[in-house]
Amino acid sequence: LIVLCGTFTKPSQADSATLCVCVCVCVCVFPALNTCLLSLQVKHSDATLTQRVPEILFPWRSVVVRGDGTLRRVKRDWVIPPINVPENSRGQFPEELVRIRSDRDNNRLLRYSVTGPGADQPPTSIFIISPISGQLSVTKPLDREHISNFHLRAHAVDLNGNQVENPIDIVINVIDQNDNRPEFTHTIFNGSVPEGSKPGSFVMTVTSVDKDDPKTANGMLRYKILSQNPQSPSSNMFTINNKTGDIITVAAGLDREKVTQYTLIIQATDMEGNPTYGLSNTATTVIRITDVNDNPPEFTTDTFFGEVHENRVNVIVANLTVTDKDQPHTSAWSAVYRIIAGDPTGRFSIPTDHTTNEGLLTVVKPIDFELTRSFMLTVEAENEVPLARGIHLPRQSTATVSVRILDVNESPEFSPNPKSIKLEEGLPAGSLLTTFTAQDPDRFLRQTVRYSKMYDPANWLEIDPVNGRISTIAILDRESPYVKNNLYNVTFMASDNGIPPASGTGTLQMYLLDINDNAPHVFPPEVEMCEKPDPNAINITASDPDLTPNAGPFAFELANRPSDVRRNWTLNRINGEYAQLRLRIGSLASGIYEVPIMITDSGNLPMSNTSYLRVKVCQCDHHGDCVDMERIIAAGLGTGTIIAILICIIILLVLVLLFVMWMKRRDKERQAKQLLIDPEDDVRDNILKYDEEGGGEEDQDYDLSQLQQPDALEPECIKVGIRRLDERPLHHDHQYPIRSAAPHPGDIGDFIHEGLKAADNDPTAPPYDSLLVFDYEGSGSDAGSLSSLHSSSSCGDQDYDYLGDWGPRFRKLADLYGGGDD
């Protein structure tokens, strides 16, 4: 305690001494009141914070009174009150905060240190302590919005590193300063309110945040409206709750049709809205006035007109137009039309065109001009949603529509249609059946109706074109394939002579009654039987196209002829529909047997018929199934299938033959091309090689006039080149010696010398040892002629000595033309 009192070296030492005495008395006399030292120390530190650096003493002993009256010292840690440091300090750094020391540093050297975030933990080096004096300092300005407080621990150790005091917890609070402006959560706030809303209606809420301490005035915000645009119908249509930011209406008169939206500038200020010390910020609020159905649709005119031809449906008669001031393409703008008078039978409807909001008056049921020639409709227009409270439909929401019906030439109509009659089949040709007539709906027009037949698949009937009488032209047969369920349908057409003509159709349904006009036949017509049948009986029945009672029951009987029928077979009646054919003998040879059976039906006039039952007798396996070749053939391919297969084979052979012929033709074309053009030559060079060796025994009939060039050079020039066949030579043709067909071998040398001499004296001969034939490209080429090697118009001025520089092949030319007289 003496050390604690002696540490106060700054002003107010008298007060400090007094404090120390009080502390000493409290500790010595009243150990239970040891906590008073803490309160006194804190109060004194707060009072002298701006005057001097306070000092924290490590407490380690307290006086405790034993039960026997003796005193004993015990260690007891203090709880140090927090140290408050304002943020954004502009003082000199490091700035001293507090001094920490132990009363044991009087007799030994101690070292002090602090640990924790802000000291030796991130962010490091914000707080430092003098290891000798224990002076705790801050090294930089603090930011409360970054870290609001620091928790450090102070340590005291000796020079050997041994702990001499228990660590003390130090809490440093960063005191907030008003260094942050309010920030709105959005730059632009969007809200809406229905038009016609009453004052006090909630619109929206704007929010702003301040990073400063919300428990202080630095973070307490207040809102207000700076401006409103437009200022119609009042400059104060809205107000804002200065604490919550709720925007509400304060005046009536919101009308979307006049003002669609309002723009408000909202200001938020901290320091509880103090304009002098508070910081402020602004944001924009856009309030959209939403539409309500406060404007009913109104027709653009009182009366609409339209016209439509009779008997037409799904035709637009008139377009009904309305105006609605509400927001387009909303339920408050979309119109719904209904007919309230003038259409008792529901022949019209009015759907809405959702793009234009027009009503489309449409005919949905046929209208007969002969019955009604005009309509006067009363139409009303409403919106899809009801009108707002207090709004009623005006007179302009009702209009009149005058519709005129136009007459057209209508088709004659058969009545009844279809027409049904009953009659027996078998009526002969020329029998009158009925009269089938049509009426012309255009009763105010005098028109003639004519009849004709459109569809009569069996061609049994005819109709009189004038009076519509229908008669037969063939015998009616109920068993015809054209009769379905005893019904036969014929279609007739009636046409008038209007402009343009119109026609209608009618159907005559004839129900044909059956008569006994068909004899029965055995069924099935063909059966199989084994050579030694077991059992040896076959069940048969009869087929009769007629209906009951003109069909069964049937009477079955074997015919008397041939005589072996009754000898080999017996026929027993099972019932009125079936009979059993049984073999009298034990076996039959394989083959086909025809058994005549006479069958009689039960008609009023019975009809009998003898039909033949084909019995195929064959060898059978142990299952009783035929195994002979005829059975196999019968189960094989049919004639049509075999013909189809043969046709496919023939087509395939023809295709193969055509392909072979095409391949041969292509090979011939390739060979012809190879004969015309050598593959080694490039035709783009415009030089064709023919491999004309010349000079042989077979090459004696040359036309040497081909070796002359065209008449493009001067006459006195020595010609070197080739001439076309259709050109006239400039000089006379030189006569070369002609060798006989079979010369003596000794004449070959003389012939060669004569030919060489003639070639040397021939001015048109090329300077080569053999004849070469080239193509002539024609005259007038910009590139010049390849048939001449001269380079000037005068051959006397030409110097051929340069040919010797072109290689061995051109030295001969140089010797011939550049060697002088030699």
Side-chain angles (χ1 to χ4, degrees):
L1 294 176
I2 296 173
V3 173
L4 176 62
C5 295
T7 56
F8 295 99
T9 57
K10 295 186 179 182
S12 302
Q13 290 185 357
D15 296 337
S16 301
T18 304
L19 177 62
C20 291
V21 172
C22 294
V23 171
C24 182
V25 172
C26 291
V27 173
C28 296
V29 180
F30 303 105
L33 300 178
N34 191 26
T35 56
C36 69
L37 178 61
L38 173 63
S39 60
L40 293 174
Q41 178 77 10
V42 172
K43 292 181 179 178
H44 183 74
S45 298
D46 293 341
T48 61
L49 180 62
T50 59
Q51 301 176 5
R52 58 182 175 82
V53 177
E55 185 176 71
I56 297 176
L57 178 66
F58 277 93
W60 78 101
R61 293 181 181 87
S62 297
V63 179
V64 179
V65 180
R66 294 181 179 178
D68 54 1
T70 62
L71 300 178
R72 182 175 63 89
R73 293 180 179 270
V74 296
K75 279 193 174 182
R76 185 173 183 183
D77 294 340
W78 286 359
V79 178
I80 306 301
I83 301 173
N84 296 325
V85 180
E87 65 172 335
N88 303 324
S89 175
R90 298 183 181 181
Q92 295 181 353
F93 293 99
E95 181 180 352
E96 296 178 350
L97 298 180
V98 68
R99 182 182 179 187
I100 301 171
R101 62 178 295 269
S102 173
D103 58 353
R104 293 188 177 185
D105 63 354
N106 294 329
N107 52 10
R108 69 175 75 179
L109 294 177
L110 302 181
R111 293 292 183 263
Y112 302 97
S113 63
V114 290
T115 60
D120 61 341
Q121 299 178 17
T124 60
S125 302
I126 295 180
F127 299 97
I128 60 176
I129 189 171
S130 175
I132 298 176
S133 64
Q135 185 66 52
L136 181 65
S137 304
V138 61
T139 62
K140 62 178 68 175
L142 303 181
D143 186 0
R144 191 204 67 84
E145 288 72 36
H146 184 216
I147 301 177
S148 60
N149 54 70
F150 297 87
H151 294 267
L152 305 178
R153 302 200 77 182
H155 306 270
V157 297
D158 57 15
L159 296 180
N160 295 325
N162 298 321
Q163 177 177 318
V164 298
E165 299 286 357
N166 290 333
I168 296 179
D169 292 329
I170 301 176
V171 177
I172 300 176
N173 290 332
V174 183
I175 304 303
D176 183 43
Q177 303 291 328
N178 190 19
D179 57 345
N180 291 279
R181 291 181 179 274
E183 296 291 340
F184 283 94
T185 57
H186 298 86
T187 305
I188 298 178
F189 292 86
N190 293 288
S192 62
V193 62
E195 63 176 330
S197 297
K198 297 180 179 180
S201 301
F202 174 79
V203 180
M204 61 185 300
T205 300
V206 296
T207 55
S208 177
V209 295
D210 195 319
K211 296 180 181 180
D212 292 326
D213 190 356
K215 297 180 181 179
T216 66
N218 298 334
M220 295 181 180
L221 307 181
R222 296 296 182 266
Y223 301 92
K224 71 175 181 178
I225 299 176
L226 296 181
S227 65
Q228 169 191 308
N229 184 35
Q231 298 181 359
S232 173
S234 172
S235 59
N236 295 316
M237 297 295 296
F238 305 92
T239 186
I240 187 170
N241 188 310
N242 64 346
K243 292 183 179 180
T244 63
D246 293 342
I247 300 177
I248 60 176
T249 61
V250 294
L254 293 176
D255 190 352
R256 190 204 64 85
E257 286 72 36
K258 295 180 180 179
V259 180
T260 58
Q261 70 178 24
Y262 290 88
T263 302
L264 307 180
I265 304 299
I266 308 298
Q267 183 186 62
T269 307
D270 58 16
M271 299 298 291
E272 297 182 296
N274 190 320
T276 303
Y277 303 104
L279 302 177
S280 61
N281 208 341
T282 60
T284 302
T285 300
V286 178
I287 301 176
R288 183 172 55 90
I289 308 302
T290 58
D291 187 37
V292 298
N293 192 16
D294 57 346
N295 293 281
E298 298 180 359
F299 285 99
T300 57
T301 182
D302 293 336
T303 305
F304 295 89
F305 298 92
E307 59 184 21
V308 63
H309 291 88
E310 63 173 331
N311 301 323
R312 298 286 299 275
V313 294
N314 298 325
V315 177
I316 298 177
V317 179
N319 289 22
L320 312 181
T321 57
V322 296
T323 59
D324 196 316
K325 298 179 181 179
D326 291 323
Q327 186 174 357
H329 306 289
T330 62
S331 57
W333 174 80
S334 299
V336 178
Y337 302 86
R338 61 188 184 95
I339 301 173
I340 59 177
D343 184 23
T345 57
R347 298 185 180 273
F348 298 91
S349 69
I350 310 178
T352 303
D353 186 340
H354 297 288
T355 302
T356 62
N357 209 26
E358 294 180 350
L360 308 178
L361 181 62
T362 307
V363 180
V364 294
K365 293 182 181 180
I367 302 175
D368 191 355
F369 172 81
E370 284 70 28
L371 297 178
T372 306
R373 298 191 178 188
S374 64
F375 289 87
M376 188 65 67
L377 308 177
T378 302
V379 180
E380 183 181 67
E382 297 177 339
N383 291 121
E384 292 182 355
V385 296
L387 290 172
R389 183 178 299 178
I391 306 298
H392 302 283
L393 280 177
R395 182 186 59 82
Q396 291 80 3
S397 296
T398 304
T400 302
V401 183
S402 177
V403 180
R404 185 167 63 96
I405 309 302
L406 303 179
D407 187 25
V408 296
N409 186 23
E410 299 176 79
S411 302
E413 297 177 355
F414 285 91
S415 180
N417 190 15
K419 182 177 182 179
S420 299
I421 60 173
K422 286 185 179 181
L423 65 158
E424 289 186 349
E425 63 173 331
L427 289 179
S431 301
L432 180 62
L433 300 183
T434 185
T435 300
F436 197 19
T437 58
Q439 304 296 326
D440 193 347
D442 300 315
R443 57 179 179 269
F444 299 107
L445 302 177
R446 295 181 180 179
Q447 298 182 149
T448 303
V449 179
R450 292 291 182 264
Y451 303 95
S452 61
K453 183 174 64 174
M454 285 189 62
Y455 179 73
D456 183 9
N459 197 23
W460 286 344
L461 307 179
E462 66 177 0
I463 186 171
D464 189 290
V466 177
N467 52 32
R469 293 181 179 178
I470 299 175
S471 57
T472 62
I473 57 176
I475 297 176
L476 304 182
D477 185 8
R478 191 198 64 82
E479 290 76 29
S480 171
Y482 301 107
V483 178
K484 305 297 182 183
N485 298 324
N486 300 331
L487 289 176
Y488 181 73
N489 296 326
V490 183
T491 303
F492 298 96
M493 181 174 65
S495 304
D496 60 20
N497 59 348
I499 301 175
S503 60
T505 59
T507 301
L508 177 65
Q509 289 184 342
M510 297 189 301
Y511 186 87
L512 298 179
L513 303 176
D514 184 42
I515 63 174
N516 192 15
D517 57 345
N518 293 279
H521 297 271
V522 65
F523 185 84
E526 183 176 328
V527 295
E528 292 181 352
M529 179 178 288
C530 298
E531 291 181 345
K532 296 181 179 181
D534 185 22
N536 60 353
I538 300 173
N539 293 334
I540 61 174
T541 185
S543 173
D544 193 333
D546 294 329
L547 301 176
T548 304
N550 296 320
F554 301 100
F556 299 90
E557 183 181 1
L558 286 175
N560 295 325
R561 296 179 182 275
S563 59
D564 58 346
V565 172
R566 291 181 176 269
R567 186 171 60 250
N568 296 334
W569 307 90
T570 60
L571 185 64
N572 299 323
R573 184 175 182 274
I574 299 177
N575 53 37
E577 299 294 334
Y578 291 93
Q580 190 175 69
L581 181 65
R582 186 179 295 273
L583 186 64
R584 280 179 176 270
I585 58 180
S587 63
L588 281 177
S590 298
I592 298 177
Y593 298 87
E594 292 186 352
V595 179
I597 299 176
M598 184 173 65
I599 305 175
T600 305
D601 60 24
S602 300
N604 189 13
L605 295 176
M607 294 190 69
S608 299
N609 179 45
T610 300
S611 57
Y612 289 88
L613 175 66
R614 288 171 55 88
V615 180
K616 296 177 62 176
V617 180
C618 57
Q619 296 179 359
C620 299
D621 55 12
H622 62 283
H623 296 292
D625 299 327
C626 288
V627 295
D628 57 350
M629 293 303 298
E630 292 183 359
R631 176 79 174 184
I632 297 175
I633 294 174
L637 299 176
T639 304
T641 305
I642 295 175
I643 293 175
I645 294 174
L646 292 176
I647 292 175
C648 292
I649 294 174
I650 294 173
I651 292 175
L652 181 61
L653 293 176
V654 171
L655 292 177
V656 172
L657 181 61
L658 292 175
F659 179 75
V660 172
M661 294 176 62
W662 177 77
M663 291 294 294
K664 289 184 177 181
R665 181 177 180 182
R666 190 176 67 172
D667 292 341
K668 289 182 179 180
E669 292 178 353
R670 289 180 178 176
Q671 294 175 2
K673 291 181 179 179
Q674 291 177 358
L675 293 175
L676 294 176
I677 300 176
D678 194 294
E680 298 178 357
D681 292 336
D682 188 358
V683 297
R684 291 174 294 182
D685 293 337
N686 297 324
I687 298 176
L688 302 178
K689 180 181 178 182
Y690 295 96
D691 293 335
E692 296 289 345
E693 299 294 338
E697 295 179 359
E698 301 296 333
D699 301 331
Q700 302 300 325
D701 297 331
Y702 282 103
D703 185 3
L704 299 181
S705 62
Q706 297 182 12
L707 302 179
Q708 294 186 2
Q709 65 179 5
D711 52 352
L713 303 177
E714 296 179 0
E716 66 272 12
C717 294
I718 299 176
K719 300 295 183 178
V720 181
I722 307 302
R723 184 181 66 83
R724 294 186 305 178
L725 292 176
D726 57 349
E727 289 184 348
R728 176 178 295 180
L730 299 176
H731 305 282
H732 64 278
D733 295 339
H734 189 80
Q735 298 297 327
Y736 284 83
I738 301 176
R739 188 183 177 192
S740 60
H744 190 273
D747 295 338
I748 295 177
D750 297 337
F751 174 77
I752 293 175
H753 287 292
E754 291 179 1
L756 178 60
K757 183 178 179 181
D760 290 340
N761 296 328
D762 187 0
T764 63
Y768 297 98
D769 293 336
S770 61
L771 297 177
L772 300 177
V773 179
F774 299 93
D775 280 351
Y776 177 66
E777 298 295 336
S779 61
S781 174
D782 296 338
S785 176
L786 298 177
S787 62
S788 176
L789 297 178
H790 73 284
S791 58
S792 64
S793 60
S794 177
C795 294
D797 298 336
Q798 182 69 35
D799 184 9
Y800 294 100
D801 293 338
Y802 67 90
L803 296 177
D805 299 333
W806 289 8
R809 296 186 179 183
F810 292 92
R811 289 175 184 172
K812 181 64 175 178
L813 292 176
D815 294 341
L816 290 176
Y817 290 95
D821 297 337
D822 295 337

